[in-house]
Amino acid sequence: MNEYRVSGVLIPEDRLAERVREIGREIGRDYAGRELVVVGILKGAVVFLSDLLRAIPETVDISLDFMAVSSYGASTKTRGIVKIVKDLDGSVEDKDVLIVEDIVDTGLTLSYLVKLMQERRPRSIRICALLDKEERRKVRVDVDYKGFSIPDEFVVGYGLDYNGKWRHLPSVHIVEQE
Ligand code: IMP
Ligand code: MG
Protein backbone atom coordinates (compact mmCIF):
# COMPACT_ATOMS: atom_id res chain seq x y z
CA MET A 1 0.00 0.00 0.00
CA ASN A 2 1.05 3.56 -0.57
CA GLU A 3 -0.47 4.76 2.65
CA TYR A 4 1.65 6.82 4.95
CA ARG A 5 1.19 6.95 8.66
CA VAL A 6 2.78 8.61 11.64
CA SER A 7 4.84 6.23 13.70
CA GLY A 8 6.61 6.58 17.02
CA VAL A 9 7.85 9.77 18.57
CA LEU A 10 11.36 10.76 17.55
CA ILE A 11 11.54 13.88 19.73
CA PRO A 12 8.90 14.31 22.44
CA GLU A 13 7.45 17.72 23.21
CA ASP A 14 9.22 18.15 26.53
CA ARG A 15 12.63 17.67 24.89
CA LEU A 16 11.66 20.13 22.15
CA ALA A 17 10.60 22.69 24.75
CA GLU A 18 13.79 22.27 26.76
CA ARG A 19 16.06 22.59 23.72
CA VAL A 20 14.15 25.59 22.34
CA ARG A 21 14.56 27.38 25.68
CA GLU A 22 18.33 26.69 25.57
CA ILE A 23 18.62 28.09 22.04
CA GLY A 24 16.61 31.16 23.06
CA ARG A 25 19.00 31.84 25.94
CA GLU A 26 22.00 31.37 23.62
CA ILE A 27 20.55 33.85 21.11
CA GLY A 28 19.91 36.18 24.05
CA ARG A 29 23.58 36.07 25.05
CA ASP A 30 24.84 36.54 21.49
CA TYR A 31 22.57 39.46 20.58
CA ALA A 32 22.11 41.23 23.94
CA GLY A 33 21.62 44.96 23.45
CA ARG A 34 21.32 44.56 19.69
CA GLU A 35 18.60 44.74 17.09
CA LEU A 36 17.80 41.47 15.40
CA VAL A 37 15.54 40.76 12.43
CA VAL A 38 14.19 37.25 12.86
CA VAL A 39 13.14 35.82 9.49
CA GLY A 40 10.83 32.81 9.76
CA ILE A 41 10.57 30.52 6.75
CA LEU A 42 6.94 29.66 6.13
CA LYS A 43 5.23 27.43 6.79
CA GLY A 44 7.35 24.77 8.46
CA ALA A 45 9.13 27.03 10.93
CA VAL A 46 6.09 28.70 12.50
CA VAL A 47 5.56 26.38 15.46
CA PHE A 48 9.25 26.31 16.36
CA LEU A 49 9.50 30.07 15.79
CA SER A 50 6.59 30.93 18.04
CA ASP A 51 8.16 29.01 20.92
CA LEU A 52 11.66 30.28 20.15
CA LEU A 53 10.60 33.96 20.08
CA ARG A 54 9.20 33.69 23.58
CA ALA A 55 12.44 32.09 24.79
CA ILE A 56 14.59 35.02 23.67
CA PRO A 57 15.10 37.50 26.54
CA GLU A 58 13.83 41.08 26.29
CA THR A 59 17.41 42.39 26.13
CA VAL A 60 17.33 41.59 22.41
CA ASP A 61 15.44 44.12 20.27
CA ILE A 62 13.56 41.73 17.98
CA SER A 63 11.59 42.44 14.86
CA LEU A 64 9.87 39.70 12.95
CA ASP A 65 9.55 39.07 9.25
CA PHE A 66 8.65 36.08 7.07
CA MET A 67 9.54 34.51 3.78
CA ALA A 68 7.75 31.71 1.99
CA VAL A 69 9.58 29.59 -0.55
CA SER A 70 8.73 26.66 -2.74
CA SER A 71 10.99 24.50 -4.83
CA TYR A 72 10.43 24.45 -8.59
CA GLY A 73 9.84 20.70 -8.85
CA ALA A 74 12.06 17.65 -8.87
CA SER A 75 14.67 18.47 -11.52
CA THR A 76 15.37 22.03 -10.46
CA LYS A 77 15.26 21.07 -6.81
CA THR A 78 18.64 19.37 -7.23
CA ARG A 79 20.07 22.66 -8.53
CA GLY A 80 18.69 24.51 -5.56
CA ILE A 81 16.37 26.83 -7.43
CA VAL A 82 13.65 27.98 -5.11
CA LYS A 83 10.81 30.32 -5.83
CA ILE A 84 10.06 33.16 -3.43
CA VAL A 85 6.33 32.87 -2.79
CA LYS A 86 6.33 35.62 -0.18
CA ASP A 87 9.18 38.06 0.27
CA LEU A 88 10.19 40.04 3.34
CA ASP A 89 8.06 43.05 4.25
CA GLY A 90 11.04 45.14 5.38
CA SER A 91 14.63 45.91 4.46
CA VAL A 92 17.49 44.00 6.09
CA GLU A 93 20.20 46.42 4.99
CA ASP A 94 22.74 46.96 7.82
CA LYS A 95 20.67 44.74 10.11
CA ASP A 96 21.57 41.56 11.95
CA VAL A 97 19.47 38.76 10.49
CA LEU A 98 18.58 35.38 11.95
CA ILE A 99 16.94 32.96 9.53
CA VAL A 100 14.74 30.42 11.32
CA GLU A 101 14.00 27.20 9.46
CA ASP A 102 12.38 23.93 10.47
CA ILE A 103 14.87 21.47 8.97
CA VAL A 104 18.02 21.36 6.86
CA ASP A 105 18.03 18.43 4.47
CA THR A 106 20.15 18.77 1.30
CA GLY A 107 20.89 22.36 2.30
CA LEU A 108 19.87 23.69 -1.13
CA THR A 109 17.01 25.85 0.15
CA LEU A 110 19.03 27.55 2.85
CA SER A 111 22.14 28.07 0.75
CA TYR A 112 19.95 29.78 -1.86
CA LEU A 113 18.23 31.91 0.78
CA VAL A 114 21.53 32.96 2.35
CA LYS A 115 22.87 34.02 -1.05
CA LEU A 116 19.72 36.00 -1.74
CA MET A 117 19.84 37.62 1.69
CA GLN A 118 23.51 38.55 1.27
CA GLU A 119 22.66 40.56 -1.84
CA ARG A 120 20.55 42.79 0.41
CA ARG A 121 23.62 43.80 2.43
CA PRO A 122 22.66 42.90 5.99
CA ARG A 123 25.19 43.47 8.75
CA SER A 124 25.26 39.76 9.54
CA ILE A 125 23.36 36.56 8.77
CA ARG A 126 23.00 33.54 11.01
CA ILE A 127 20.92 30.41 10.65
CA CYS A 128 18.81 28.68 13.27
CA ALA A 129 17.31 25.30 12.37
CA LEU A 130 15.36 23.01 14.65
CA LEU A 131 16.42 19.80 12.87
CA ASP A 132 19.39 18.77 10.75
CA LYS A 133 19.68 15.67 8.56
CA GLU A 134 23.44 15.92 8.13
CA GLU A 135 23.74 12.70 6.09
CA ARG A 136 21.65 14.21 3.30
CA ARG A 137 23.67 17.37 2.83
CA LYS A 138 24.60 18.28 -0.78
CA VAL A 139 25.82 21.81 -0.23
CA ARG A 140 27.46 23.32 2.80
CA VAL A 141 25.26 25.28 5.16
CA ASP A 142 26.59 26.70 8.41
CA VAL A 143 23.88 26.17 11.00
CA ASP A 144 24.70 28.53 13.86
CA TYR A 145 21.92 27.39 16.20
CA LYS A 146 20.77 23.81 15.85
CA GLY A 147 18.08 22.00 17.80
CA PHE A 148 18.78 18.36 16.99
CA SER A 149 20.69 16.28 14.47
CA ILE A 150 18.40 13.51 13.22
CA PRO A 151 18.83 10.37 11.08
CA ASP A 152 17.76 10.21 7.43
CA GLU A 153 14.05 9.71 8.08
CA PHE A 154 11.07 11.75 6.95
CA VAL A 155 9.64 13.52 9.98
CA VAL A 156 6.47 15.46 10.74
CA GLY A 157 4.97 17.41 13.62
CA TYR A 158 5.93 20.59 15.48
CA GLY A 159 5.38 22.50 12.22
CA LEU A 160 6.79 19.94 9.79
CA ASP A 161 4.42 18.37 7.29
CA TYR A 162 3.95 15.56 4.84
CA ASN A 163 1.78 16.89 1.97
CA GLY A 164 0.50 19.62 4.24
CA LYS A 165 -0.50 17.23 7.00
CA TRP A 166 0.53 16.71 10.62
CA ARG A 167 2.03 20.14 11.28
CA HIS A 168 -0.05 20.46 14.44
CA LEU A 169 1.38 17.43 16.26
CA PRO A 170 3.18 18.61 19.42
CA SER A 171 6.08 16.14 19.05
CA VAL A 172 8.32 15.20 16.10
CA HIS A 173 7.35 11.84 14.60
CA ILE A 174 8.76 9.60 11.85
CA VAL A 175 6.50 8.96 8.85
CA GLU A 176 6.28 5.35 7.69
CA GLN A 177 4.95 3.78 4.53
CA GLU A 178 2.56 0.95 5.23
P1 IMP B 1 16.60 21.17 1.56
O1 IMP B 1 16.61 22.28 0.56
O2 IMP B 1 16.82 19.84 0.93
O3 IMP B 1 17.55 21.40 2.71
O4 IMP B 1 15.13 21.08 2.08
C1 IMP B 1 14.66 21.67 3.18
C2 IMP B 1 13.15 21.69 3.15
O5 IMP B 1 12.62 20.41 2.77
C3 IMP B 1 12.63 21.98 4.51
O6 IMP B 1 12.40 23.36 4.65
C4 IMP B 1 11.34 21.19 4.55
O7 IMP B 1 10.29 21.97 4.03
C5 IMP B 1 11.57 20.04 3.62
N1 IMP B 1 11.91 18.79 4.34
C6 IMP B 1 13.08 18.12 4.28
N2 IMP B 1 13.05 17.02 5.04
C7 IMP B 1 11.83 17.01 5.64
C8 IMP B 1 11.20 16.11 6.58
O8 IMP B 1 11.75 15.10 7.04
N3 IMP B 1 9.94 16.44 6.95
C9 IMP B 1 9.29 17.54 6.49
N4 IMP B 1 9.84 18.41 5.62
C10 IMP B 1 11.10 18.14 5.18
MG1 MG C 1 10.27 24.19 4.84
Side-chain angles (χ1 to χ4, degrees):
M1 291 293 284
N2 271 340
E3 290 288 303
Y4 288 83
R5 65 176 181 87
V6 171
S7 78
V9 171
L10 183 67
I11 310 169
E13 52 179 313
D14 58 335
R15 277 189 68 207
L16 290 167
E18 191 187 334
R19 186 72 190 112
V20 171
R21 277 196 294 270
E22 281 170 11
I23 297 171
R25 280 196 291 270
E26 209 182 319
I27 293 170
R29 283 194 296 272
D30 293 351
Y31 291 96
R34 284 159 69 182
E35 280 179 48
L36 181 64
V37 181
V38 173
V39 174
I41 308 303
L42 298 171
K43 304 173 186 164
V46 292
V47 177
F48 170 44
L49 178 64
S50 78
D51 286 341
L52 179 67
L53 282 172
R54 289 173 287 175
I56 300 173
E58 61 196 27
T59 48
V60 187
D61 184 354
I62 300 263
S63 57
L64 180 60
D65 212 331
F66 290 98
M67 254 185 162
V69 299
S70 75
S71 53
Y72 269 115
S75 61
T76 48
K77 170 106 192 180
T78 51
R79 305 209 310 268
I81 299 170
V82 301
K83 181 176 153 194
I84 305 297
V85 177
K86 186 230 170 286
D87 206 339
L88 298 175
D89 292 334
S91 164
V92 292
E93 200 175 331
D94 295 326
K95 308 251 178 82
D96 290 308
V97 172
L98 180 66
I99 300 175
V100 178
E101 175 63 305
D102 52 358
I103 185 166
V104 195
D105 185 26
T106 62
L108 289 166
T109 305
L110 271 176
S111 70
Y112 176 85
L113 281 178
V114 167
K115 251 178 253 151
L116 183 94
M117 207 66 86
Q118 265 159 357
E119 289 168 10
R120 300 176 179 187
R121 313 235 161 269
R123 201 164 92 109
S124 70
I125 303 176
R126 282 189 183 174
I127 292 175
C128 174
L130 178 70
L131 305 174
D132 188 355
K133 287 191 214 174
E134 285 156 21
E135 286 169 58
R136 298 254 311 160
R137 198 60 41 81
K138 285 188 183 143
V139 290
R140 186 178 150 177
V141 171
D142 295 315
V143 181
D144 302 283
Y145 306 96
K146 180 191 302 193
F148 302 89
S149 293
I150 63 165
D152 182 10
E153 301 273 6
F154 202 86
V155 293
V156 294
Y158 200 64
L160 291 103
D161 72 305
Y162 174 77
N163 277 351
K165 283 173 58 170
W166 297 316
R167 292 194 197 274
H168 59 104
L169 303 179
S171 301
V172 172
H173 298 252
I174 293 173
V175 172
E176 272 179 359
Q177 204 172 354
E178 298 200 309

Short mmCIF file of all heavy atoms in Angstrom, two decimals, residues 41-45 69 101-103, ligand 2:
data_model
loop_
_atom_site.label_atom_id
_atom_site.label_comp_id
_atom_site.label_asym_id
_atom_site.label_seq_id
_atom_site.Cartn_x
_atom_site.Cartn_y
_atom_site.Cartn_z
N ILE A 41 10.85 31.09 8.07
CA ILE A 41 10.57 30.52 6.75
C ILE A 41 9.27 29.73 6.83
O ILE A 41 9.17 28.72 7.53
CB ILE A 41 11.74 29.62 6.26
CG1 ILE A 41 13.09 30.37 6.34
CG2 ILE A 41 11.46 29.14 4.83
CD1 ILE A 41 13.15 31.68 5.56
N LEU A 42 8.27 30.26 6.12
CA LEU A 42 6.94 29.66 6.13
C LEU A 42 6.91 28.38 5.29
O LEU A 42 7.62 28.29 4.31
CB LEU A 42 5.91 30.65 5.56
CG LEU A 42 5.75 31.95 6.35
CD1 LEU A 42 4.88 32.93 5.58
CD2 LEU A 42 5.15 31.67 7.72
N LYS A 43 6.03 27.43 5.60
CA LYS A 43 5.23 27.43 6.79
C LYS A 43 5.87 26.62 7.91
O LYS A 43 5.50 26.72 9.07
CB LYS A 43 3.85 26.79 6.49
CG LYS A 43 3.09 27.44 5.37
CD LYS A 43 1.82 26.63 5.03
CE LYS A 43 1.13 27.21 3.81
NZ LYS A 43 0.15 26.25 3.27
N GLY A 44 6.82 25.79 7.53
CA GLY A 44 7.35 24.77 8.46
C GLY A 44 7.90 25.30 9.76
O GLY A 44 7.86 24.61 10.78
N ALA A 45 8.44 26.53 9.74
CA ALA A 45 9.13 27.03 10.93
C ALA A 45 8.21 27.67 11.95
O ALA A 45 8.66 28.04 13.04
CB ALA A 45 10.22 28.02 10.52
N VAL A 69 8.90 30.08 0.64
CA VAL A 69 9.58 29.59 -0.55
C VAL A 69 8.97 28.28 -0.99
O VAL A 69 8.37 27.57 -0.19
CB VAL A 69 11.10 29.39 -0.29
CG1 VAL A 69 11.76 30.69 0.09
CG2 VAL A 69 11.36 28.33 0.75
N GLU A 101 14.53 28.22 10.36
CA GLU A 101 14.00 27.20 9.46
C GLU A 101 13.66 25.94 10.28
O GLU A 101 14.21 25.72 11.35
CB GLU A 101 15.06 26.92 8.39
CG GLU A 101 14.79 25.82 7.41
CD GLU A 101 13.57 26.02 6.51
OE1 GLU A 101 12.48 26.24 7.07
OE2 GLU A 101 13.71 25.90 5.28
N ASP A 102 12.75 25.14 9.75
CA ASP A 102 12.38 23.93 10.47
C ASP A 102 13.46 22.85 10.39
O ASP A 102 13.85 22.26 11.38
CB ASP A 102 11.03 23.37 9.98
CG ASP A 102 10.95 23.19 8.46
OD1 ASP A 102 11.91 23.52 7.75
OD2 ASP A 102 9.89 22.72 7.99
N ILE A 103 13.96 22.60 9.15
CA ILE A 103 14.87 21.47 8.97
C ILE A 103 15.82 21.74 7.81
O ILE A 103 15.43 22.35 6.81
CB ILE A 103 14.06 20.16 8.75
CG1 ILE A 103 14.96 18.93 8.67
CG2 ILE A 103 13.16 20.24 7.53
CD1 ILE A 103 14.20 17.61 8.79
MG MG B 2 10.27 24.19 4.84
#
